[in-house]
Amino acid sequence: QLHRQKRLALPRVRQLESMGFVWSTSSADWEEKFLELVKWRQAHGHSRVPFNEGELGWWVNTQRQNKRKGKLCIEREQQLNS
């Protein structure tokens, strides 16, 4: 909360970051699922993960829904299209 409000001292911020502290867990979670998708594509030759394929299938479906609704940011769309 202090970091978000820009009230955390810079030396403390640097110390936490040097230890690998993750400020945005939602971004870290997205990147983790994206890497799973990359592995899936390498193994199967495509990125059409079935919805019933566990968390990855659910995540891929959510990304497609977000794209259709215009809620997927351009950076993530580009990353998915790469």
Side-chain angles (χ1 to χ4, degrees):
Q1 209 173 32
L2 292 175
H3 180 261
R4 215 173 340 166
Q5 297 170 356
K6 308 282 188 223
R7 292 180 24 202
L8 191 60
L10 188 56
R12 181 69 52 93
V13 170
R14 287 186 178 146
Q15 181 183 22
L16 289 167
E17 288 175 346
S18 74
M19 296 171 14
F21 190 82
V22 176
W23 297 106
S24 173
T25 57
S26 63
S27 291
D29 291 345
W30 194 93
E31 290 296 329
E32 184 178 316
K33 289 295 181 210
F34 176 75
L35 292 176
E36 284 184 41
L37 178 60
V38 169
K39 289 177 186 175
W40 169 276
R41 185 175 182 175
Q42 290 171 345
H44 296 89
H46 61 80
S47 56
R48 297 178 308 275
V49 183
F51 183 72
N52 62 355
E53 190 65 36
E55 286 185 31
L56 183 60
W58 175 84
W59 182 84
V60 169
N61 186 58
T62 300
Q63 302 317 302
R64 289 185 178 126
Q65 287 179 11
N66 287 341
K67 167 78 169 112
R68 281 193 299 271
K69 295 176 183 177
K71 294 181 178 182
L72 186 63
C73 73
I74 190 72
E75 293 85 11
R76 288 184 174 173
E77 184 178 345
Q78 289 171 344
Q79 199 170 352
L80 288 166
N81 288 330
S82 63

